[in-house]
Amino acid sequence: MGIIQLEPSTDINWTPCYDGHLCARLLLPLDYLSEDPDGPTTAIALRMIPAASRGTADYRGTVLINPGGPGGSGTNLVERAGANISRIVGGSFDVLGFDPRGTGASTPRVECFASAAERNIWMTQVGHQFLNASDHTLGLYRAREQVVAAKCEQAIGGELGIARFMSTASVATDMIKITEKLGQEKLHYWGFSYGSILGQYFSAMYPEKVGRVIIDGVYDGDNYRGALWSSNLADMEAVMDSLFTYCHEAGPLRCTLYESTPDTIRARYFGVLDEVARNPIAIPLAEPPVILTRKALITQLFSSSYKPLANYGTIVDTIRAIETGNQTALTALAPKIVDPTECKCSSGTIPWLAENDAFNAIACGDGEEHPYDPEYYANYYDELVKDSPHGGPIWAVHYLQCAEWRVRPKWRYTGPLAAANTSHPLLLISPRYDPVCPLRDALAVRERYSGAGLLVQNSHGHCSLSAPSLCTAKHVRAYMEHGVLPKEGAVCEADELPLIGSVSDVSAMSLEDQELLEAIRGLSEVVPMFGF
């Protein structure tokens, strides 16, 4: 039985679903500030993989997971990666994914467009030019955000509209209620990307309820709550440039763009992009047909920086196909370069997994109000582009989204995103080079939560999931099962590198370690696409 078909209840009534999982829909108050016990509710979708030790003395409780976004579906994360997450945290924990209010299979949902087809048509109008604060594209991008804001205000922004009740404070409180319904005193949690923000809110609002809380791929909560989106790109260029370093280290047999130095490979890559800028490439046999532009290729690199292990090979194949004029290869690669838009009344996508406007409702609603100011935005844009010349023009839209957003939440948490004492220390995990949640943000957040531990993974990509590391998996297991934090200054190496492949002797590992590494390797495809 699917989640959406279940009858919601004020208790968690587990029903067997899918393949050995349990599903439920939990009714919670829509408005936590209302004193009406019979007030409107939201039905939160839950999907759980039961612990192998459930019902025994070894059972340790339930771990809630959040996949980021904001707006990502926790129930879908359980479907795609729950078994591997369960293997990493250990068989003494249930793994529970929930869809934050307004998102996924939770109802009511954020739906500003009448259909997926209407949204797809709208997205075709964005054009082939990047946002630039000093030319006509700024007006276009602002106007687009004004349209979305107006549509959402009309569709979901009324007195009881779901957009008014999606704040992270409400979701953190939902986690308390879910935990209580499970009969658990404290929260166990692993949150990725935006999930790190949710973990910061929860730990600040309910420090006495912190059990095991991991925040992975850490964004500075103060920057987030300011609706600034200005600290994210500190390491973006380093991650993008890692493509050229890994290609050089991989050698000519594994990287067809190989040259004598990483800088030469970089020059070759951008030489192709410069030629495409002058002469965009038609791919007429792709379904649907597409035009390959410089913007499309930079956007491909930007999104690939989140998960280099999974995607750098596609970039190499793309550039080589352009160099050789291989239309057969380009036709096959087209859906991995340009998101395909299909003209169908039904796209085949499960409705509650379709694109939505949850990012605006959650992130902009949580943030301070800042109406658009042209002088401020020009300076803001320039600073972003200084951090990342290639990522800045993509990322700069987030400020516009929030500047034009009109719906304010009924409840925002405005206290400090910090805690002098939590009932158990937090564990922060950060890649050394994360494209949108830089290590410096993790260092800043760690200082606000007394006793918190920090594990640095010596890798490129978004969150620890982007690079398999047995060392990291072991630290997660030790923290979850025994509450043990990594030693001060702990660093984990990756066991597999983009284009290069495995750099560890798997045959020398114990069977248990091999299984753990295989589990963490299986997560590299589910890296959250934060704010993108």
Side-chain angles (χ1 to χ4, degrees):
M1 175 177 286
I3 298 174
I4 203 70
Q5 298 166 313
L6 296 175
E7 187 69 27
S9 170
T10 54
D11 291 313
I12 298 179
N13 296 325
W14 291 120
T15 298
C17 59
Y18 305 107
D19 186 15
H21 295 187
L22 298 175
C23 292
R25 297 175 70 211
L26 175 63
L27 287 173
L28 293 174
L30 184 69
D31 179 4
Y32 280 116
L33 299 185
S34 172
E35 297 181 358
D36 181 2
D38 299 316
T41 58
T42 175
I44 305 299
L46 310 174
R47 180 169 175 174
M48 184 173 77
I49 298 178
S53 64
R54 193 174 178 86
T56 74
D58 294 331
Y59 177 67
R60 288 184 169 91
T62 302
V63 181
L64 275 64
I65 55 175
N66 180 277
S73 165
T75 62
N76 182 246
L77 182 61
V78 165
E79 177 182 347
R80 295 184 296 141
N84 285 325
I85 292 174
S86 181
R87 289 162 70 189
I88 293 165
V89 299
S92 58
F93 292 97
D94 308 312
V95 172
L96 190 158
F98 70 101
D99 293 345
R101 48 178 56 210
T103 73
S106 293
T107 55
R109 293 194 295 270
V110 168
E111 293 177 324
C112 300
F113 288 80
S115 66
E118 183 182 79
R119 178 183 290 278
N120 285 339
I121 292 168
W122 167 246
M123 293 307 296
T124 64
Q125 298 180 34
V126 70
H128 296 292
Q129 291 181 283
F130 281 120
L131 167 61
N132 190 317
S134 60
D135 66 23
H136 69 281
T137 57
L138 174 57
L140 169 66
Y141 277 83
R142 273 198 72 205
R144 287 183 63 79
E145 295 309 325
Q146 290 165 354
V147 167
V148 172
K151 284 185 69 67
C152 290
E153 183 179 33
Q154 181 182 46
I156 56 172
E159 182 179 357
L160 293 177
I162 185 62
R164 298 196 65 226
F165 303 97
M166 291 176 64
S167 72
T168 299
S170 294
V171 179
T173 305
D174 289 343
M175 291 203 296
I176 278 286
K177 300 299 182 184
I178 293 168
T179 300
E180 290 173 349
K181 295 289 184 181
L182 292 169
Q184 196 166 295
E185 182 182 350
K186 296 178 181 179
L187 174 75
H188 303 321
Y189 173 78
W190 191 356
F192 306 95
S193 194
Y194 162 77
S196 77
I197 296 292
L198 179 55
Q200 291 170 62
Y201 270 74
F202 181 92
S203 302
M205 295 171 65
Y206 304 108
E208 75 285 357
K209 294 292 186 179
V210 171
R212 305 284 191 265
V213 171
I214 304 174
I215 55 176
D216 190 336
V218 184
Y219 177 26
D220 184 339
D222 287 347
N223 192 277
Y224 167 84
R225 194 166 58 182
L228 299 176
W229 304 97
S230 60
S231 70
N232 306 88
L233 303 186
D235 294 330
M236 171 61 79
E237 293 297 313
V239 181
M240 288 183 169
D241 280 347
S242 72
L243 167 64
F244 315 119
T245 301
Y246 287 128
C247 179
H248 181 258
E249 292 177 359
L253 296 181
R254 290 178 175 169
C255 183
T256 56
L257 298 183
Y258 176 83
E259 298 285 351
S260 59
T261 68
D263 285 345
T264 311
I265 300 171
R266 189 180 195 279
R268 179 176 174 181
Y269 172 86
F270 282 105
V272 171
L273 265 62
D274 290 344
E275 178 59 30
V276 170
R278 293 187 291 269
N279 297 292
I281 296 173
I283 311 179
L285 299 183
E287 295 183 3
V290 300
I291 297 173
L292 201 55
T293 63
R294 189 178 193 278
K295 179 185 177 183
L297 295 174
I298 288 291
T299 302
Q300 180 194 41
L301 178 59
F302 181 92
S303 60
S304 294
S305 72
Y306 284 61
K307 41 185 179 180
L309 186 67
N311 289 342
Y312 274 4
T314 300
I315 294 181
V316 168
D317 291 343
T318 300
I319 299 302
R320 187 61 184 147
I322 294 171
E323 287 181 329
T324 58
N326 189 335
Q327 273 288 332
T328 300
L330 287 173
T331 298
L333 288 165
K336 298 181 180 180
I337 307 170
V338 180
D339 287 336
T341 298
E342 297 180 287
C343 187
K344 293 182 179 180
C345 294
S346 175
S347 66
T349 301
I350 298 173
W352 58 88
L353 297 181
E355 288 189 55
N356 58 44
D357 294 287
F359 179 94
N360 300 49
I362 299 170
C364 300
D366 280 339
E368 303 291 345
E369 290 187 85
H370 57 77
Y372 176 75
D373 176 87
E375 183 177 354
Y376 180 92
Y377 187 71
N379 292 329
Y380 166 85
Y381 181 92
D382 287 346
E383 290 301 314
L384 265 190
V385 172
K386 284 180 184 177
D387 271 349
S388 176
H390 300 104
I394 297 173
W395 200 255
V397 72
H398 294 321
Y399 188 94
L400 294 180
Q401 284 177 283
C402 294
E404 302 299 340
W405 187 249
R406 302 178 183 182
V407 183
R408 299 305 297 166
K410 186 170 181 182
W411 180 31
R412 290 176 66 233
Y413 173 70
T414 57
L417 287 170
N421 290 290
T422 53
S423 50
H424 193 276
L426 279 64
L427 171 59
L428 284 65
I429 306 177
S430 176
R432 188 170 300 280
Y433 299 103
D434 188 306
V436 291
C437 292
L439 177 57
R440 71 179 185 187
D441 276 21
L443 291 168
V445 171
R446 181 195 183 187
E447 294 304 310
R448 301 176 194 147
Y449 293 86
S450 180
L454 173 64
L455 177 65
V456 176
Q457 182 171 287
N458 194 23
S459 62
H460 296 81
H462 187 33
C463 304
S464 68
L465 308 185
S466 59
S469 170
L470 176 61
C471 170
T472 296
K474 284 185 169 182
H475 277 295
V476 169
R477 173 77 66 84
Y479 175 77
M480 292 303 303
E481 290 190 341
H482 306 295
V484 177
L485 289 171
K487 292 181 180 179
E488 182 66 26
V491 175
C492 282
E493 298 296 330
D495 291 286
E496 189 172 350
L497 300 176
L499 302 176
I500 296 169
S502 177
V503 292
S504 299
D505 184 0
V506 177
S507 64
M509 297 178 183
S510 68
L511 181 59
E512 181 181 4
D513 283 356
Q514 289 181 35
E515 291 177 348
L516 197 56
L517 178 59
E518 188 61 29
I520 200 77
R521 181 180 284 123
L523 297 179
S524 63
E525 286 287 349
V526 297
V527 174
M529 298 302 288
F530 179 48
F532 182 69

